[in-house]
Amino acid sequence: MKKVFMLTSIKRNLLDEIGFLLIGLTSLGIILVEIGALFFISQTMTRELQQESERTTSEFVSILEIPLYILDDDQCIRIGQTLLSSGRISGIQLISSYSNVLLDIPNRDPRSSIKSREGTIYYNNVFLGSYRLDFSDLQIRSVNANLLKVILLAICAMIIITITLLRSIIYPKVNKELAPILESLYRIKEGEYQQRIPESSYPDVNMMITTINSMSEQIYKHRQELLHLNEQLEEKVADRTCALEASLRELQRTQDQLVRTEKLTALGTLSAGIAHELNSPLGAIQSSDNIIKNFFVSEIQKFLEDFASLGKHSQARLIELYQYVKKQISRKQNDSSSIILYKKAEEILSAEGIDNAALLAENLVEIGLMPGTSIPLEWLKYPDAALLVSLVSRLAVVMDMAEVIHLATEKAARVVGAIQYYLMPEIAASQTEFKLEERIDNILVLMESFIKQGVNVQKQYTGILLKGSPEKLDQVWFNIIKNALQAMDYQGVLTISTELLEPDRVRVSITDTGKGIAKENQAHIFEPFFTTKKDGEGIGLGLDISKKIVESHGGLIGFSSVPGKTVFFVELPNARLS
């Protein structure tokens, strides 16, 4: 089927065009030959007719001389009519000098190409009249028409003969020679490059076959080379891919290690402040614990004995007094406020004539009660009031120490929690939604010891939920805030603001009032190992790491700086209002 399709296509496109060309050339040759013959015959017959017209005119004039001279008009008319009926002329006009017009018959062949003959007749130098003879070339045109018919018949015969020869002789010969070539070319197109075309009996066809076979052999050879090179290339690509993947993993491990190193370096910088932040609540806890232990070891027995010595009514009033104390929100005042309250309470008690006003006022202020305000004066006039206030004051000390332990524990837990969040193992693919401002506050807790030296922190929070890696972004906030504090030498205003720029994009701006970044250093701020800090304050990796972390989240980091105001901003996607 392939072979037939290819040959049919060739016959339709090539052989038919060759046949049409042969027919056209043959027909053109016949037409040129016939036109030449027709032209030659026409010219020959035209010359003969012109010569005949001259003879006819000469004879006509010689015959008419005598009849016109003797004025025999009838004889002249008969001579003209006889000549017209003979067919030698197609029209005649005869005018006598004596009788005027004798014959006037118009030309019956106005399309004739033979020129009419006109002239005058003289005899013995006597003017006898004039004439006009018209001649016809109908015979020439008739011959030409017959020749055209012969030409058409010859062309038709030649077309038939040519088509017959093409179909019966030329087409089969061409098909016989081209069929193997076309079939082999089709197989070569299908990828059978080792296909070889058999030789032909025609040398010119063999030249084409040799060229095609050589081309097929070269294609096969180059294809094998390409396949081999492709296999080698695939192996190299696979090896290079493995190497790149290994390098990428190593680079990721190195980057993670740098981040952890930077964190540990930063914590080393903050270690003294963190130790102080932990030692303060631990000292308060230890001191309060000693006071509570002392109460239960040496005071509890005396407290119970005093309580047992009270009557039922006094015990009830003691419980009532304890309820007054529990209602107080803030009982303990600073030293200067306690002195003022003590003097005021003593004045009120003395004015009411209550015994032991000084001691009672001291105990009341100690447990956070003010005579006449938070406890009725009538209650204090009770005989056992001083003893009851003294007993409750002992309990208030325990309550104070318990509150101190609670507050100190919260502070220590907050510092430890911030450290824990900061040092939490990082998971590269971790993408969780978290409260952005809460994570920034954790970083501020870690830096509390530096902030307390003289930095006023102003927060302008919007309330943002952000999707990303909170542990990695903690490093960004830590690095920027640490740089800001160092730039201000821990004295100034630190402003942290969050703003939702688009429906899902947040900007975090951290502004300090430090000396600013020198213009010559601004182009190098994010370069690794570039630093303008003092020895021991950093190795110049903080902002480089921060930039990589922000870009890995699809965000950007930038800054603007003039003396007295430096703003670092971070823009991140996947944000929304909480």
Side-chain angles (χ1 to χ4, degrees), residues 78 232 289 347 429:
R78 283 194 300 271
Q232 292 181 338
D289 179 64
E347 291 176 356

Side-chain angles (χ1 to χ4, degrees), residues 4 61 120 154 164 204 216 222 300 325 387 399 494 512 531 566:
V4 173
V61 171
T120 56
T164 302
D204 50 352
S216 175
H222 291 316
I300 189 64
V325 174
L387 178 60
M399 293 172 63
L494 178 69
D512 67 73
T531 181
T566 298

Side-chain angles (χ1 to χ4, degrees), residues 412-453:
R414 188 165 64 252
V415 174
V416 172
I419 297 174
Q420 181 182 8
Y421 275 125
Y422 185 66
L423 293 179
M424 186 176 294
E426 298 165 358
I427 302 173
S430 174
Q431 293 289 321
T432 58
E433 191 172 62
F434 60 94
K435 294 181 179 180
L436 174 61
E437 290 90 347
E438 184 178 294
R439 303 295 298 204
I440 295 176
D441 286 341
N442 284 334
I443 301 301
L444 294 175
V445 170
L446 287 176
M447 299 185 172
E448 182 66 25
S449 61
F450 295 106
I451 294 173
K452 289 191 302 185
Q453 296 180 21

Side-chain angles (χ1 to χ4, degrees), residues 43-60:
Q43 291 297 318
T44 302
M45 292 183 68
T46 300
R47 286 196 302 270
E48 289 179 354
L49 285 176
Q50 288 176 348
Q51 293 173 359
E52 179 66 23
S53 67
E54 291 177 358
R55 289 194 297 270
T56 300
T57 301
S58 177
E59 292 174 358
F60 177 70

Side-chain angles (χ1 to χ4, degrees), residues 512-546:
D512 67 73
T513 57
K515 60 184 179 181
I517 303 171
K519 288 185 177 181
E520 61 270 18
N521 295 331
Q522 291 184 6
H524 308 287
I525 283 297
F526 294 106
E527 292 179 2
F529 302 107
F530 177 81
T531 181
T532 59
K533 299 176 182 178
K534 302 175 183 177
D535 293 339
E537 290 187 349
I539 59 175
L541 286 177
L543 289 179
D544 174 59
I545 292 174
S546 299

Side-chain angles (χ1 to χ4, degrees), residues 214-448:
S214 176
M215 179 186 68
S216 175
E217 184 178 352
Q218 291 297 321
I219 291 175
Y220 177 76
K221 180 180 178 181
H222 291 316
R223 186 173 183 274
Q224 294 301 316
E225 292 177 356
L226 286 175
L227 290 174
H228 181 65
L229 291 174
N230 189 46
E231 291 176 357
Q232 292 181 338
L233 181 61
E234 289 179 354
E235 292 177 358
K236 289 181 179 180
V237 169
D239 294 340
R240 184 62 58 86
T241 301
C242 293
L244 288 175
E245 290 176 351
S247 299
L248 184 61
R249 288 192 297 269
E250 183 63 27
L251 181 62
Q252 186 63 44
R253 284 196 296 269
T254 302
Q255 183 178 356
D256 293 342
Q257 184 63 38
L258 283 174
V259 172
R260 287 191 290 271
T261 302
E262 183 70 11
K263 285 186 175 183
L264 293 174
T265 302
L267 281 179
T269 304
L270 299 176
S271 59
I274 293 175
H276 174 74
E277 292 299 316
L278 289 176
N279 285 332
S280 295
L282 289 176
I285 292 172
Q286 186 177 12
S287 175
S288 300
D289 179 64
N290 290 333
I291 293 174
I292 293 174
K293 284 181 179 179
N294 182 61
F295 174 79
F296 283 101
V297 171
S298 60
E299 296 289 333
I300 189 64
Q301 183 175 357
K302 188 174 184 306
F303 175 82
L304 293 176
E305 290 175 354
D306 291 340
F307 181 78
S309 66
L310 298 174
K312 291 182 178 181
H313 183 68
S314 296
Q315 290 178 356
R317 292 185 69 84
L318 178 63
I319 295 173
E320 183 180 355
L321 177 61
Y322 180 71
Q323 294 301 325
Y324 280 124
V325 174
K326 285 180 62 177
K327 292 178 182 180
Q328 299 304 111
I329 298 174
S330 178
R331 191 175 65 257
K332 189 70 174 177
Q333 304 292 330
N334 56 46
D335 294 340
S336 59
S337 298
S338 297
I339 294 173
I340 295 173
L341 292 175
Y342 165 72
K343 291 182 177 180
K344 183 177 179 181
E346 184 180 8
E347 291 176 356
I348 294 173
L349 295 175
S350 298
E352 292 293 328
I354 298 175
D355 297 335
N356 299 319
L359 179 61
L360 185 57
E362 181 180 354
N363 288 334
L364 286 173
V365 172
E366 181 69 23
I367 61 178
L369 297 178
M370 177 59 63
T373 303
S374 52
I375 184 170
L377 290 172
E378 290 75 9
W379 197 96
L380 295 174
K381 294 177 180 180
Y382 183 72
D384 293 334
L387 178 60
L388 296 179
V389 171
S390 176
L391 292 174
V392 171
S393 176
R394 297 176 194 174
L395 292 176
V397 172
V398 177
M399 293 172 63
D400 280 341
M401 295 304 101
E403 182 65 19
V404 169
I405 291 173
H406 174 71
L407 294 175
T409 303
E410 282 187 345
K411 183 175 182 180
R414 188 165 64 252
V415 174
V416 172
I419 297 174
Q420 181 182 8
Y421 275 125
Y422 185 66
L423 293 179
M424 186 176 294
E426 298 165 358
I427 302 173
S430 174
Q431 293 289 321
T432 58
E433 191 172 62
F434 60 94
K435 294 181 179 180
L436 174 61
E437 290 90 347
E438 184 178 294
R439 303 295 298 204
I440 295 176
D441 286 341
N442 284 334
I443 301 301
L444 294 175
V445 170
L446 287 176
M447 299 185 172
E448 182 66 25

